[in-house]
Amino acid sequence: MRAEVIPVYTSAQVAPLVLPDGTGVYPDMVAYLNRHKLGDFSFKLVYLPRKRLQMKVESGALEGIVIGMMPHWFDDAGQKKYLWTAPFALDRYVVALPADSAYTPGAKGALSGRTLGMVLGYSYPDLADWLRQQRPIRADALSDEHNLEKLRFGRVDSVALAESVYRYHKKKHPSDNFRVYVLPSRQTERRFLVPHELQAVYDKLAPVLRKARDDPEWQRLMLRYE
């Protein structure tokens, strides 16, 4: 009997989460799940723009699961609206600035009147307090990679992004000379969101995700992107 294919939705198109060659943290996780042969289910990564994905989740029209999300991004801190797996990866936000920039972490208004590169269409609930204190001018681009390119050429004053994204960029562009500061926000836990209608999928998925971060196979996969 053929396995039922479960769509795994993501709005990410940024390295190292999803790479142009079809690899990346999220494709690797989907392949990892398929190697575990979870009953009658197989998984396929599917891209959806962030706003459309959010609308599908919140309207109950999602026929699949979502990778790389956090409960409070969907106003579900109590984890009642949806089923949530354990995190399979941890991340945090940083701000990148030119090496000669003056910036004092924790100082209010340190970026006041200066441009901050962010991704078009994305909200940053974890950075809301920091943004209110800093009062930068938001400058959107299509991706973090585009923002870092703009920073390289002096077209923005700073960029806010996930540390894993910056580390991977630095690996590919070692000549970029930026100063990087960890931002005062909660750690990003990359989890799966599963609608209650897919309880059977969650029951197969959750035990694997609880063990993933301690699994040598998964650890070896993640070392590719460090």
Side-chain angles (χ1 to χ4, degrees):
M1 186 167 62
R2 294 184 63 182
E4 180 184 354
V5 179
I6 304 298
V8 178
Y9 293 105
T10 180
S11 57
Q13 289 184 302
V14 61
L17 301 180
V18 179
L19 301 177
D21 66 0
T23 63
V25 175
Y26 291 176
D28 281 358
M29 171 48 74
V30 171
Y32 174 82
L33 293 176
N34 285 330
R35 285 196 295 276
H36 277 75
K37 301 188 184 307
L38 302 182
D40 297 328
F41 303 117
S42 68
F43 301 89
K44 180 181 179 181
L45 193 65
V46 178
Y47 172 78
L48 271 183
R50 181 58 181 263
K51 287 186 177 180
R52 188 174 167 204
L53 177 57
Q54 185 116 11
M55 182 181 67
K56 276 184 168 288
V57 171
E58 293 177 349
S59 67
L62 188 73
E63 297 178 349
I65 63 181
V66 189
I67 190 172
M69 295 293 153
M70 288 179 64
H72 71 283
W73 293 352
F74 288 86
D75 192 26
D76 192 24
Q79 301 186 30
K80 302 294 185 184
K81 292 182 181 179
Y82 313 104
L83 301 169
W84 295 92
T85 68
F88 58 87
L90 300 176
D91 212 338
R92 56 186 181 177
Y93 279 107
V94 299
V95 61
L97 304 100
D100 59 355
S101 287
Y103 174 74
T104 303
K108 291 185 178 181
L111 294 179
S112 179
R114 296 159 70 182
T115 50
L116 176 68
M118 304 181 89
V119 176
L120 182 68
Y122 271 51
S123 61
Y124 294 76
D126 293 325
L127 297 183
D129 290 342
W130 178 77
L131 289 168
R132 277 193 295 270
Q133 291 176 355
Q134 292 301 313
R135 303 190 305 277
I137 301 167
R138 179 167 173 163
D140 285 349
L142 293 177
S143 70
D144 291 315
E145 187 70 29
H146 287 145
N147 276 322
L148 290 168
E149 184 176 328
K150 288 167 68 176
L151 186 63
R152 184 186 307 134
F153 291 108
R155 291 164 51 201
V156 292
D157 299 311
S158 58
V159 174
L161 72 169
E163 185 179 37
S164 63
V165 174
Y166 177 76
R167 281 202 312 266
Y168 190 80
H169 173 89
K170 184 66 175 175
K171 184 177 178 180
K172 297 297 181 182
H173 302 276
S175 63
D176 278 358
N177 189 22
F178 303 141
R179 293 169 68 185
V180 178
Y181 301 90
V182 175
L183 293 180
S185 67
R186 72 174 72 185
Q187 200 169 39
T188 299
E189 298 177 336
R190 303 200 184 279
R191 302 171 179 257
F192 281 86
L193 176 159
V194 183
H196 284 281
E197 293 78 11
L198 294 179
Q199 178 77 52
V201 176
Y202 178 83
D203 290 343
K204 295 290 185 182
L205 198 63
V208 176
L209 271 295
R210 279 196 293 270
K211 299 175 182 177
R213 285 175 52 214
D214 296 322
D215 182 352
E217 179 190 355
W218 181 245
Q219 291 172 351
R220 283 193 299 272
L221 288 169
M222 291 303 93
L223 284 175
R224 300 178 187 177
Y225 309 111
E226 292 293 328

